[in-house]
Amino acid sequence: MGVKLGDIIPPEAVQTVQLSDLSNKSIAIDGYNILYQFLSNIRGPDGKPLQDSKGRVTSHLSGVFFRSTNFIKEGIRVVYVFDGQPPALKIETIRKRIELRERARKMYEEALAAGVVAEARKYAAQSSSIEKYMVETAIQLLEAMGIPYIIAPAEGEAQAAYMAARGDVWASSSQDYDSILFGTPRLVRNLSLVGRRKLPRRNEYVVVEPEVLHSEKLFASLGITRRELVEMAILIGTDYFEGVRGIGPKKAYSLIKEYGAADKALDAIKKSLDVDIEAVRRLFLEPEVKKDYELKWREIDREATMRILCDEHDFSPERVEKELNEVESILSEKRRVTSLDRWLM
DNA sequence: CAACAGCA
DNA sequence: TGCTGTTGG
């Protein structure tokens, strides 16, 4: 979800990159965003998620494990940022999402019963919801892998943006554009290993490279400020409320260009919004964030990782061990080379 | 989503 | 070796 800015992002503000370009950089990842992607995508052909012998879903653990080892191999340091309490304004959005999920879940069961496998898979993905235990097990795994995480007081994206703005991490990462509104200087999108993404409700794939969106370039190209982008978002609609009917990014852009603020634009077109506009501004411009945190990356605890994945959740020990060995050998090779470099200097 | 097996 | 379909839990 998030604010729909896709259509007006100027290409010059976006830099497509290779994963290796992010080497030695630190990135704050929107934890819910990524768990949701894993949960909806890592599924069998009929839509069933991976699960252990006790029936607990493990798709997200597979995703977190393999993606994390790959980041470590590349020298990319990530910190997971999870949502805390949703802002009051978001309650209605959350209620609607639950409703949609319920509908998708019914469709999933119907399709499954009718034996329409592809159809079933589509609805299964839409019916995914992140349960509390999934976040808890993901956090256990992160701890074992030496990857830091933060539970934000409110919105994870706001927290990640704050950390990037303060320079504690190089960038924040999410599929949503909300981070820009929250003030991130750099937003990494499509942060996955293989450059392909499944098209929604279709069995097709498109090539998608990781990209870095530079906020300052975006503001400069559009000739607006972050504050004005927030005004645009108010007209377009956000996760917190629906915007004005018939106004998308392009109209919002010209309206804010002309009138400068959402309320003035609304007056001009004789429309109104059933929302406290001032509260929305505060939500984006002065979000509630945690300011005291420590980011510490440690070595992988192999035993703990094996215990969680294999003993607790029935992952194949051979498969996990193979990956851990690869991480170890790549890291030791890196250390060998860098110490040699240092010696040569 | 990412690893892996199988095939050109 | 690179590509494509299947498996993982």
Side-chain angles (χ1 to χ4, degrees), chain A residues 198-327:
Chain A
K198 200 183 162 301
L199 254 40
R201 68 181 139 274
R202 209 145 352 138
N203 251 346
E204 289 170 41
Y205 291 85
V206 285
V207 178
V208 190
E209 308 276 30
E211 59 184 42
V212 182
L213 204 161
H214 298 268
S215 297
E216 276 313 321
K217 282 190 188 160
L218 179 139
F219 297 141
S221 292
L222 294 178
I224 59 172
T225 62
R226 175 179 157 214
R227 196 194 60 78
E228 288 169 324
L229 193 67
V230 170
E231 298 299 315
M232 283 173 53
I234 291 170
L235 298 177
I236 298 165
T238 70
D239 274 356
Y240 306 108
F241 60 91
E242 282 178 29
V244 185
R245 204 185 235 298
I247 293 191
K250 286 175 187 164
K251 275 186 193 164
Y253 178 60
S254 56
L255 281 170
I256 294 304
K257 270 287 191 189
E258 183 167 5
Y259 300 104
D263 23 25
K264 289 200 182 117
L266 287 168
D267 284 346
I269 59 172
K270 299 192 174 27
K271 301 237 167 143
S272 63
L273 274 178
D274 185 23
V275 66
D276 181 349
I277 290 181
E278 199 48 49
V280 178
R281 287 180 181 132
R282 276 199 304 275
L283 211 58
F284 285 117
L285 298 174
E286 296 142 42
E288 195 189 349
V289 293
K290 185 177 188 161
K291 298 184 175 176
D292 58 320
Y293 50 79
E294 200 188 355
L295 302 181
K296 232 179 190 164
W297 287 270
R298 291 180 290 100
E299 300 251 311
I300 296 184
D301 181 339
R302 287 185 67 126
E303 255 168 59
T305 304
M306 291 291 289
R307 187 173 45 72
I308 292 166
L309 291 178
C310 307
D311 299 350
E312 305 253 336
H313 297 292
D314 305 317
F315 278 63
S316 147
E318 293 80 14
R319 208 155 173 255
V320 175
E321 219 148 42
K322 179 176 182 258
E323 187 65 22
L324 291 174
N325 288 340
E326 208 175 306
V327 172

Side-chain angles (χ1 to χ4, degrees), chain A residues 98-110:
Chain A
I98 292 172
E99 217 170 75
L100 282 173
R101 276 205 300 270
E102 284 305 309
R103 202 176 309 158
R105 198 179 49 78
K106 283 198 190 95
M107 299 292 275
Y108 166 58
E109 272 152 24
E110 278 174 32

Side-chain angles (χ1 to χ4, degrees), chain A residues 29-43 49 57-65 67-68 80-83 125 128-142 149 173-175:
Chain A
I29 299 189
D30 179 354
Y32 265 89
N33 198 276
I34 201 169
L35 289 193
Y36 187 82
Q37 284 174 36
F38 289 146
L39 185 60
S40 54
N41 289 318
I42 305 181
R43 286 168 182 268
V57 170
T58 56
S59 295
H60 61 301
L61 297 179
S62 178
V64 169
F65 175 68
R67 193 172 284 188
S68 297
Y80 279 71
V81 182
F82 293 99
D83 289 345
S128 340
S129 69
I130 301 170
E131 312 285 334
K132 202 173 164 205
Y133 79 89
M134 298 178 191
V135 178
E136 286 165 359
T137 46
I139 284 176
Q140 281 174 16
L141 181 59
L142 291 174
Y149 69 91
S173 177
S174 172
Q175 278 311 103

